[in-house]
Amino acid sequence: MTDMPRYPHRHLLGIQGLHPPEINALLDLSERYAEQNQGADKKDSTLRGRTVINLFFENSTRTRTSFELAGKRLGADVINMQVATSSVAKGETLIDTAMTLNAMHVDVLAVRHPDSGAVQLLSEKTNCAVINGGDGRHEHPTQALLDALTIRRRKGRLEGLTVAICGDVLHSRVARSNIHLLNTMGARVRVVAPRTLLPSGVETLGVDVYHDITEGVRGCDIIMMLRLQQERMQGSYVPSVREFFRFFGLDYAKLANAAPDALIMHPGPMNRGVEIDSDLADDFERSVIREQVEMGVAVRMACLEALAANAESSAGGAA
Ligand code: ASP
């Protein structure tokens, strides 16, 4: 696929700092894989002989499975390293893990970690290409790319759309990566949350801030709901989940203020009845949540291909 503009970096650690042609290169490649994945023969040999490791220090359903599927559909050998059963649980440091991976000649490493700096550190200490599968509250770049692909396929563009990102922005790496991507691609971004669930200085990320969801979603083309991330909360950020749903949960009444063809997104896992009404989440006229999961596989295939190609050209295939 050398006729397409390339993603020029060795790793994919975040969206911040990427330029529109780099993002478009990954989205265009993903588009091809989205089509391939809808056909009967979903497999090719682009990554034949390559080794992909999924190193997940935090739980994941969609992200880990889709990286695995993506690697396998490209013909790579894919290994899932479960942290609970690996030597990390016995006290091995991240640096020792990196040295082990180097000795195994891994080509691409997809990492999820609860600490924001850990993925960057691994990218410095390993010889392989590293993809950030979500690090703490920092970034989740493949989620933002799959969200962008879903929007682009439905709306035909990203530029000029108004997108409301609603809920627990404070703890959300999904929100951060989406804010960077959508701003870079010319969308207008709003964040909608109670004050306690917004990072201080969030305006400096180039968003408009709303504390009332009815106003926040007014006229929006896209509404992205976020999970209330109770596992990252120490203390109480909302009076109760019932209150939260009443004031910040998306239901049909609040949705009526958005554009008539507004689409609803959620990165999963969903807390039904907390940030989103259950019927609305399943309403395929409005909700593209299932499509987001589908696009996740295509985006991860594109990222694996792009990084493997870069590793080959920079290290003569000896990475
Ligand atoms: N799955 C997403 C993440 O890993 C969103 C979430 O967990 O709420 O960040």
Side-chain angles (χ1 to χ4, degrees), residues 58-60 62-63 112 133-134 136 140 143 171-174 226-229 231-232 266-269:
E58 260 188 6
N59 289 339
S60 167
R62 279 152 292 273
T63 306
R112 169 167 290 188
H140 193 350
Q143 177 74 46
H171 299 104
S172 179
R173 53 199 175 205
V174 173
L226 300 171
R227 182 173 65 90
L228 202 57
Q229 301 204 6
E231 79 280 15
R232 295 191 207 280
H266 193 303

mmCIF file of all heavy atoms in Angstrom, residues 58-60 62-63 112 133-134 136 140 143 171-174 226-229 231-232 266-269, ligand 1:
data_model
loop_
_atom_site.group_PDB
_atom_site.id
_atom_site.type_symbol
_atom_site.label_atom_id
_atom_site.label_comp_id
_atom_site.label_asym_id
_atom_site.label_seq_id
_atom_site.Cartn_x
_atom_site.Cartn_y
_atom_site.Cartn_z
ATOM 1 N N GLU A 58 -3.899 -3.368 32.537
ATOM 2 C CA GLU A 58 -5.235 -2.991 33.011
ATOM 3 C C GLU A 58 -6.241 -3.827 32.243
ATOM 4 O O GLU A 58 -5.961 -4.241 31.116
ATOM 5 C CB GLU A 58 -5.534 -1.525 32.641
ATOM 6 C CG GLU A 58 -5.351 -0.535 33.726
ATOM 7 C CD GLU A 58 -5.857 0.853 33.293
ATOM 8 O OE1 GLU A 58 -6.438 1.016 32.202
ATOM 9 O OE2 GLU A 58 -5.645 1.775 34.071
ATOM 10 N N ASN A 59 -7.409 -4.012 32.799
ATOM 11 C CA ASN A 59 -8.445 -4.779 32.111
ATOM 12 C C ASN A 59 -8.840 -4.123 30.801
ATOM 13 O O ASN A 59 -8.797 -2.904 30.671
ATOM 14 C CB ASN A 59 -9.696 -4.884 32.978
ATOM 15 C CG ASN A 59 -9.450 -5.798 34.149
ATOM 16 O OD1 ASN A 59 -8.533 -6.631 34.109
ATOM 17 N ND2 ASN A 59 -10.250 -5.643 35.181
ATOM 18 N N SER A 60 -9.240 -4.956 29.893
ATOM 19 C CA SER A 60 -9.739 -4.449 28.619
ATOM 20 C C SER A 60 -10.523 -5.557 27.936
ATOM 21 O O SER A 60 -10.143 -6.723 28.022
ATOM 22 C CB SER A 60 -8.560 -4.066 27.731
ATOM 23 O OG SER A 60 -8.995 -3.866 26.418
ATOM 24 N N ARG A 62 -12.647 -4.686 24.615
ATOM 25 C CA ARG A 62 -12.608 -4.298 23.212
ATOM 26 C C ARG A 62 -11.199 -4.083 22.687
ATOM 27 O O ARG A 62 -10.834 -4.591 21.637
ATOM 28 C CB ARG A 62 -13.387 -2.988 22.987
ATOM 29 C CG ARG A 62 -14.864 -3.136 22.871
ATOM 30 C CD ARG A 62 -15.541 -1.865 23.329
ATOM 31 N NE ARG A 62 -15.315 -1.742 24.758
ATOM 32 C CZ ARG A 62 -16.116 -2.298 25.668
ATOM 33 N NH1 ARG A 62 -17.195 -2.927 25.291
ATOM 34 N NH2 ARG A 62 -15.828 -2.206 26.938
ATOM 35 N N THR A 63 -10.401 -3.310 23.414
ATOM 36 C CA THR A 63 -9.100 -2.915 22.866
ATOM 37 C C THR A 63 -8.186 -4.132 22.701
ATOM 38 O O THR A 63 -7.589 -4.332 21.642
ATOM 39 C CB THR A 63 -8.444 -1.852 23.768
ATOM 40 O OG1 THR A 63 -9.372 -0.788 23.938
ATOM 41 C CG2 THR A 63 -7.177 -1.307 23.158
ATOM 42 N N ARG A 112 -1.207 -1.279 27.416
ATOM 43 C CA ARG A 112 -2.137 -0.513 28.260
ATOM 44 C C ARG A 112 -1.574 -0.518 29.669
ATOM 45 O O ARG A 112 -1.142 -1.565 30.180
ATOM 46 C CB ARG A 112 -3.518 -1.143 28.252
ATOM 47 C CG ARG A 112 -4.414 -0.532 29.322
ATOM 48 C CD ARG A 112 -5.844 -0.886 29.148
ATOM 49 N NE ARG A 112 -6.399 -0.214 27.973
ATOM 50 C CZ ARG A 112 -7.691 -0.223 27.660
ATOM 51 N NH1 ARG A 112 -8.552 -0.872 28.420
ATOM 52 N NH2 ARG A 112 -8.137 0.406 26.598
ATOM 53 N N GLY A 133 -2.168 1.664 24.047
ATOM 54 C CA GLY A 133 -3.551 1.151 24.112
ATOM 55 C C GLY A 133 -4.317 1.756 25.275
ATOM 56 O O GLY A 133 -5.325 1.201 25.707
ATOM 57 N N GLY A 134 -3.835 2.901 25.766
ATOM 58 C CA GLY A 134 -4.477 3.595 26.889
ATOM 59 C C GLY A 134 -3.533 3.662 28.075
ATOM 60 O O GLY A 134 -3.173 2.620 28.627
ATOM 61 N N GLY A 136 -3.218 5.496 31.717
ATOM 62 C CA GLY A 136 -3.775 6.351 32.770
ATOM 63 C C GLY A 136 -4.843 7.277 32.228
ATOM 64 O O GLY A 136 -5.710 6.853 31.461
ATOM 65 N N HIS A 140 -5.413 7.722 24.554
ATOM 66 C CA HIS A 140 -5.872 6.439 24.012
ATOM 67 C C HIS A 140 -6.039 6.679 22.507
ATOM 68 O O HIS A 140 -7.158 6.785 21.993
ATOM 69 C CB HIS A 140 -7.210 6.071 24.679
ATOM 70 C CG HIS A 140 -7.650 4.663 24.453
ATOM 71 N ND1 HIS A 140 -7.048 3.802 23.565
ATOM 72 C CD2 HIS A 140 -8.665 3.947 25.019
ATOM 73 C CE1 HIS A 140 -7.669 2.638 23.583
ATOM 74 N NE2 HIS A 140 -8.650 2.703 24.464
ATOM 75 N N GLN A 143 -8.411 4.749 20.106
ATOM 76 C CA GLN A 143 -9.836 5.018 20.344
ATOM 77 C C GLN A 143 -10.257 6.283 19.585
ATOM 78 O O GLN A 143 -11.317 6.312 18.930
ATOM 79 C CB GLN A 143 -10.110 5.181 21.839
ATOM 80 C CG GLN A 143 -11.550 5.533 22.156
ATOM 81 C CD GLN A 143 -12.513 4.364 21.993
ATOM 82 O OE1 GLN A 143 -12.231 3.272 22.451
ATOM 83 N NE2 GLN A 143 -13.648 4.603 21.335
ATOM 84 N N HIS A 171 -11.176 11.912 34.231
ATOM 85 C CA HIS A 171 -10.426 10.653 34.276
ATOM 86 C C HIS A 171 -10.247 10.018 32.899
ATOM 87 O O HIS A 171 -9.755 8.898 32.801
ATOM 88 C CB HIS A 171 -11.149 9.656 35.196
ATOM 89 C CG HIS A 171 -11.269 10.144 36.599
ATOM 90 N ND1 HIS A 171 -12.440 10.640 37.133
ATOM 91 C CD2 HIS A 171 -10.350 10.241 37.587
ATOM 92 C CE1 HIS A 171 -12.234 11.012 38.384
ATOM 93 N NE2 HIS A 171 -10.990 10.790 38.689
ATOM 94 N N SER A 172 -10.656 10.724 31.853
ATOM 95 C CA SER A 172 -10.779 10.063 30.551
ATOM 96 C C SER A 172 -9.641 10.348 29.576
ATOM 97 O O SER A 172 -9.505 11.442 29.044
ATOM 98 C CB SER A 172 -12.101 10.469 29.897
ATOM 99 O OG SER A 172 -12.203 9.862 28.636
ATOM 100 N N ARG A 173 -8.873 9.299 29.274
ATOM 101 C CA ARG A 173 -7.857 9.391 28.211
ATOM 102 C C ARG A 173 -8.544 9.437 26.849
ATOM 103 O O ARG A 173 -8.011 9.993 25.890
ATOM 104 C CB ARG A 173 -6.920 8.199 28.319
ATOM 105 C CG ARG A 173 -7.636 6.844 28.343
ATOM 106 C CD ARG A 173 -6.732 5.773 28.893
ATOM 107 N NE ARG A 173 -7.401 4.493 29.032
ATOM 108 C CZ ARG A 173 -7.031 3.562 29.895
ATOM 109 N NH1 ARG A 173 -6.021 3.786 30.709
ATOM 110 N NH2 ARG A 173 -7.639 2.408 29.954
ATOM 111 N N VAL A 174 -9.747 8.864 26.765
ATOM 112 C CA VAL A 174 -10.510 8.918 25.513
ATOM 113 C C VAL A 174 -10.849 10.372 25.177
ATOM 114 O O VAL A 174 -10.709 10.824 24.039
ATOM 115 C CB VAL A 174 -11.810 8.085 25.631
ATOM 116 C CG1 VAL A 174 -12.701 8.260 24.412
ATOM 117 C CG2 VAL A 174 -11.490 6.615 25.857
ATOM 118 N N LEU A 226 -19.106 9.542 28.004
ATOM 119 C CA LEU A 226 -17.959 8.885 28.648
ATOM 120 C C LEU A 226 -18.427 8.088 29.849
ATOM 121 O O LEU A 226 -19.394 8.463 30.519
ATOM 122 C CB LEU A 226 -16.941 9.929 29.119
ATOM 123 C CG LEU A 226 -16.340 10.837 28.053
ATOM 124 C CD1 LEU A 226 -15.525 11.937 28.725
ATOM 125 C CD2 LEU A 226 -15.463 10.038 27.083
ATOM 126 N N ARG A 227 -17.690 7.043 30.151
ATOM 127 C CA ARG A 227 -18.010 6.233 31.338
ATOM 128 C C ARG A 227 -17.591 6.973 32.607
ATOM 129 O O ARG A 227 -16.531 7.613 32.639
ATOM 130 C CB ARG A 227 -17.250 4.906 31.252
ATOM 131 C CG ARG A 227 -17.501 3.941 32.379
ATOM 132 C CD ARG A 227 -16.818 2.610 32.089
ATOM 133 N NE ARG A 227 -15.366 2.732 32.059
ATOM 134 C CZ ARG A 227 -14.576 2.576 33.115
ATOM 135 N NH1 ARG A 227 -15.096 2.283 34.296
ATOM 136 N NH2 ARG A 227 -13.265 2.686 33.006
ATOM 137 N N LEU A 228 -18.423 6.866 33.612
ATOM 138 C CA LEU A 228 -18.049 7.378 34.937
ATOM 139 C C LEU A 228 -17.011 6.390 35.491
ATOM 140 O O LEU A 228 -17.336 5.244 35.790
ATOM 141 C CB LEU A 228 -19.306 7.388 35.808
ATOM 142 C CG LEU A 228 -19.351 8.305 37.021
ATOM 143 C CD1 LEU A 228 -19.118 9.759 36.669
ATOM 144 C CD2 LEU A 228 -20.703 8.152 37.724
ATOM 145 N N GLN A 229 -15.753 6.837 35.585
ATOM 146 C CA GLN A 229 -14.646 5.900 35.882
ATOM 147 C C GLN A 229 -14.420 5.789 37.390
ATOM 148 O O GLN A 229 -13.457 6.340 37.935
ATOM 149 C CB GLN A 229 -13.367 6.356 35.176
ATOM 150 C CG GLN A 229 -13.556 6.423 33.675
ATOM 151 C CD GLN A 229 -12.270 6.287 32.895
ATOM 152 O OE1 GLN A 229 -11.202 6.024 33.420
ATOM 153 N NE2 GLN A 229 -12.375 6.486 31.596
ATOM 154 N N GLU A 231 -13.400 3.504 39.236
ATOM 155 C CA GLU A 231 -12.183 2.848 39.727
ATOM 156 C C GLU A 231 -11.017 3.839 39.851
ATOM 157 O O GLU A 231 -10.027 3.567 40.513
ATOM 158 C CB GLU A 231 -11.798 1.661 38.835
ATOM 159 C CG GLU A 231 -11.094 1.974 37.521
ATOM 160 C CD GLU A 231 -12.001 2.428 36.380
ATOM 161 O OE1 GLU A 231 -13.175 2.788 36.633
ATOM 162 O OE2 GLU A 231 -11.513 2.450 35.225
ATOM 163 N N ARG A 232 -11.104 5.000 39.170
ATOM 164 C CA ARG A 232 -10.028 5.992 39.288
ATOM 165 C C ARG A 232 -10.373 7.091 40.298
ATOM 166 O O ARG A 232 -9.647 8.069 40.439
ATOM 167 C CB ARG A 232 -9.748 6.647 37.926
ATOM 168 C CG ARG A 232 -9.206 5.692 36.894
ATOM 169 C CD ARG A 232 -8.705 6.436 35.659
ATOM 170 N NE ARG A 232 -8.787 5.598 34.472
ATOM 171 C CZ ARG A 232 -7.898 4.660 34.149
ATOM 172 N NH1 ARG A 232 -6.836 4.463 34.884
ATOM 173 N NH2 ARG A 232 -8.073 3.938 33.058
ATOM 174 N N HIS A 266 -20.094 6.070 22.335
ATOM 175 C CA HIS A 266 -19.610 5.719 23.677
ATOM 176 C C HIS A 266 -18.445 4.757 23.482
ATOM 177 O O HIS A 266 -18.584 3.790 22.714
ATOM 178 C CB HIS A 266 -20.733 5.072 24.500
ATOM 179 C CG HIS A 266 -20.433 4.956 25.962
ATOM 180 N ND1 HIS A 266 -19.323 4.292 26.459
ATOM 181 C CD2 HIS A 266 -21.083 5.437 27.065
ATOM 182 C CE1 HIS A 266 -19.317 4.369 27.783
ATOM 183 N NE2 HIS A 266 -20.366 5.067 28.179
ATOM 184 N N PRO A 267 -17.305 4.976 24.158
ATOM 185 C CA PRO A 267 -16.156 4.092 23.909
ATOM 186 C C PRO A 267 -16.309 2.717 24.538
ATOM 187 O O PRO A 267 -15.567 1.790 24.209
ATOM 188 C CB PRO A 267 -14.996 4.844 24.559
ATOM 189 C CG PRO A 267 -15.628 5.668 25.638
ATOM 190 C CD PRO A 267 -16.988 6.041 25.108
ATOM 191 N N GLY A 268 -17.251 2.569 25.469
ATOM 192 C CA GLY A 268 -17.399 1.315 26.197
ATOM 193 C C GLY A 268 -16.272 1.168 27.218
ATOM 194 O O GLY A 268 -15.214 1.755 27.044
ATOM 195 N N PRO A 269 -16.481 0.431 28.272
ATOM 196 C CA PRO A 269 -17.726 -0.217 28.647
ATOM 197 C C PRO A 269 -18.746 0.801 29.161
ATOM 198 O O PRO A 269 -18.368 1.780 29.799
ATOM 199 C CB PRO A 269 -17.303 -1.186 29.765
ATOM 200 C CG PRO A 269 -16.053 -0.599 30.350
ATOM 201 C CD PRO A 269 -15.388 0.157 29.262
HETATM 202 N N1 ASP B 1 -12.319 1.749 27.251
HETATM 203 C C1 ASP B 1 -11.944 3.123 27.420
HETATM 204 C C2 ASP B 1 -10.577 3.246 28.066
HETATM 205 O O1 ASP B 1 -9.891 2.258 28.224
HETATM 206 C C3 ASP B 1 -12.971 3.932 28.115
HETATM 207 C C4 ASP B 1 -13.313 3.502 29.505
HETATM 208 O O2 ASP B 1 -12.681 2.611 30.074
HETATM 209 O O3 ASP B 1 -14.233 4.094 30.046
HETATM 210 O O4 ASP B 1 -10.170 4.346 28.396
#
